[in-house]
Amino acid sequence: MSRTKVLLVGATGETGGSIASGLLKNPTFEIHALVRPRSALKPAIVALQERGVQIRKCDLKAPEEELVEVLSGIDIVISCIGSADQQDQIPLASAAKKAGVKRFVPCAFLTVAPVGGIMWLRDEKELVYNHIKQLHLPYTIIDVGLWYQLSYPRLESGRVDYALTAANNEIVGDGNTPIAITDLRDIGCYVARIILDDRTLNKMVLAYNTVMTQNQIFDLLEEISEETITRNHVTEELVQNRVLASRQASETYPFDPIKFIPRYLAEYQLSWGIRGDNTPEYAKYLGYLSSKDLYPDFTPIDYREYLETVVKGTAKGIYTDRTISKAHQRMFPRTESTDSLQSRMFPRTESSDSLYMTR
């Protein structure tokens, strides 16, 4: 029986790495990773090869005939490219159509949000989705809950700092807004099921583990850690002001992806914190299929158990190789002790594009 050939774009990023791990667990898949030729010998790429991933070399900005050639024989393309590089998927999708790719999974992997002025990043992705549909290219759009790894606050003792990307001590509004959350490590397991499922072809899917409020998350971490966590409530007015200011600051020419970092974060707070977009109920309203309905037998990583590993010191941090912009530090001021935690999420100068790394 022939194996399904999957090409992963962005295999060395956080989301891409989870997907690579999920696919490698299933012998049904023959996994290929698309990388720039100059990146082929980098340690992260070599590590993928050692795990059994085959490497295909091509630049996303290469002529269409080169992209078509590199996609030859591929059944499914999964894209996890950088936030600032979403439009690079348009020529890739066009080449995929000509190469006969059977399913294209664009770089979604966001929390649930409607199109049209709520989140700039969501709207950028919609341009790609529309291009795919104009091509009549088979697709699946996969969004996910807020990652476990980004969901919990800092402890005053500092004992979870090793795993934190951001301090996360702000509670948006009253803290009772439900939020769908997903362990980053489960994303790849969901994807491995979704891309082989005929029910998900030309559909949107929300893959999530559970639903929590910020207050519930703070309460749970206090219980596990036996520490009291200061709750800094952020009003709707402040969030709206951050959104307005970050939009004005980012809309400059030439395009500067670093200026969009405060905008991403402010618009996330607006979407899941104020509007309450990131819920399974709203996803169904927007037309998503739910991972809970599709795969009732799937057992995700338990959130409490994850937090227990964080407190014990055995969890793995994310974005440990990245630094956040000065613009974000100004808009979301932190204490001296937590500024270092902010330094792990985004790069100052480039979006790890040499490896097609992203989320």
Side-chain angles (χ1 to χ4, degrees), residues 226-246:
E226 299 182 340
E227 291 188 37
T228 300
I229 303 171
T230 301
R231 307 193 183 204
N232 302 311
H233 287 267
V234 179
T235 65
E236 178 176 352
E237 180 181 10
L238 178 55
V239 172
Q240 294 285 6
N241 287 340
R242 285 175 173 174
V243 169
L244 178 61
S246 62

Side-chain angles (χ1 to χ4, degrees), residues 12-33:
T12 56
E14 298 290 353
T15 299
S18 174
I19 293 172
S21 294
L23 298 180
L24 284 166
K25 294 175 183 176
N26 189 335
T28 300
F29 299 113
E30 178 181 302
I31 308 162
H32 301 250

Side-chain angles (χ1 to χ4, degrees), residues 20 31 44 63 103 117 122 137 139 159 169 206 214 254 275 303 331 336:
I31 308 162
R103 188 186 303 229
R122 176 65 182 84
L137 176 64
Y139 69 90
R159 59 176 161 152
N169 286 78
L206 172 61
Q214 284 191 285
R275 290 175 45 84
Y303 188 60
M331 181 159 291
E336 183 177 351

Side-chain angles (χ1 to χ4, degrees), residues 60-356:
L60 287 180
K61 298 184 186 297
E64 184 177 79
E65 56 269 22
E66 292 185 26
L67 288 171
V68 172
E69 182 178 356
V70 83
L71 292 172
S72 175
I74 294 295
D75 298 305
I76 300 171
V77 172
I78 303 175
S79 174
C80 303
I81 70 171
S83 299
D85 305 319
Q86 294 300 302
Q87 302 310 308
D88 288 349
Q89 295 174 96
I90 288 178
L92 182 66
S94 296
K97 176 67 175 180
K98 290 190 175 182
V101 169
K102 298 171 185 175
R103 188 186 303 229
F104 192 98
V105 180
C107 183
F109 307 109
L110 278 180
T111 54
V112 176
V115 182
I118 304 300
M119 293 177 65
W120 176 86
L121 185 55
R122 176 65 182 84
D123 294 346
E124 281 289 289
K125 292 174 184 288
E126 188 68 18
L127 297 174
V128 178
Y129 305 164
N130 285 340
H131 180 72
I132 291 168
K133 293 172 184 177
Q134 290 169 9
L135 294 171
H136 206 191
L137 176 64
Y139 69 90
T140 302
I141 294 165
I142 305 171
D143 278 324
V144 297
L146 181 70
W147 295 354
Y148 285 9
Q149 290 78 3
L150 297 174
S151 66
Y152 60 93
R154 182 176 186 267
L155 296 177
E156 290 296 328
S157 66
R159 59 176 161 152
V160 301
D161 286 4
Y162 76 95
L164 277 176
T165 296
N168 293 332
N169 286 78
E170 293 184 342
I171 291 182
V172 182
D174 64 7
N176 291 322
T177 302
I179 307 166
I181 58 176
T182 308
D183 193 298
L184 171 63
R185 295 166 294 176
D186 280 330
I187 292 175
C189 300
Y190 284 122
V191 170
R193 290 193 176 205
I194 290 167
I195 62 175
L196 291 179
D197 191 339
D198 290 340
R199 297 172 296 174
T200 65
L201 193 62
N202 302 326
K203 301 291 184 182
M204 300 185 297
V205 181
L206 172 61
Y208 74 101
N209 289 7
T210 190
V211 176
M212 302 277 286
T213 67
Q214 284 191 285
N215 283 329
Q216 289 172 332
I217 291 171
F218 276 55
D219 288 344
L220 183 57
L221 186 55
E222 284 183 333
E223 177 190 337
I224 294 170
S225 67
E226 299 182 340
E227 291 188 37
T228 300
I229 303 171
T230 301
R231 307 193 183 204
N232 302 311
H233 287 267
V234 179
T235 65
E236 178 176 352
E237 180 181 10
L238 178 55
V239 172
Q240 294 285 6
N241 287 340
R242 285 175 173 174
V243 169
L244 178 61
S246 62
R247 286 175 177 174
Q248 291 173 340
S250 64
E251 291 173 355
T252 59
Y253 183 84
F255 175 79
D256 182 355
I258 299 303
K259 293 180 179 179
F260 277 76
I261 293 170
R263 182 170 181 172
Y264 296 153
L265 300 176
E267 290 180 341
Y268 265 118
Q269 286 189 330
L270 171 65
S271 176
W272 60 253
I274 300 298
R275 290 175 45 84
D277 293 331
N278 185 38
T279 66
E281 292 76 19
Y282 189 56
K284 287 185 180 181
Y285 169 78
L286 293 176
Y288 285 79
L289 301 177
S290 167
S291 60
K292 298 292 186 185
D293 296 334
L294 291 168
Y295 315 112
D297 61 321
F298 181 81
T299 302
I301 296 169
D302 180 75
Y303 188 60
R304 182 188 184 93
E305 291 177 0
Y306 168 72
L307 287 185
E308 287 174 348
T309 66
V310 171
V311 172
K312 289 177 182 176
T314 58
K316 181 179 180 296
I318 60 171
Y319 294 132
T320 54
D321 62 336
R322 304 190 181 193
T323 55
I324 201 162
S325 72
K326 291 291 186 182
H328 171 254
Q329 292 181 29
R330 287 194 299 270
M331 181 159 291
F332 296 86
R334 307 290 179 184
T335 66
E336 183 177 351
S337 63
T338 60
D339 273 343
S340 62
L341 301 175
Q342 300 295 321
S343 69
R344 301 180 185 170
M345 194 166 185
F346 293 96
R348 292 183 185 275
T349 56
E350 63 177 356
S351 57
S352 304
D353 60 26
S354 63
L355 295 179
Y356 292 134

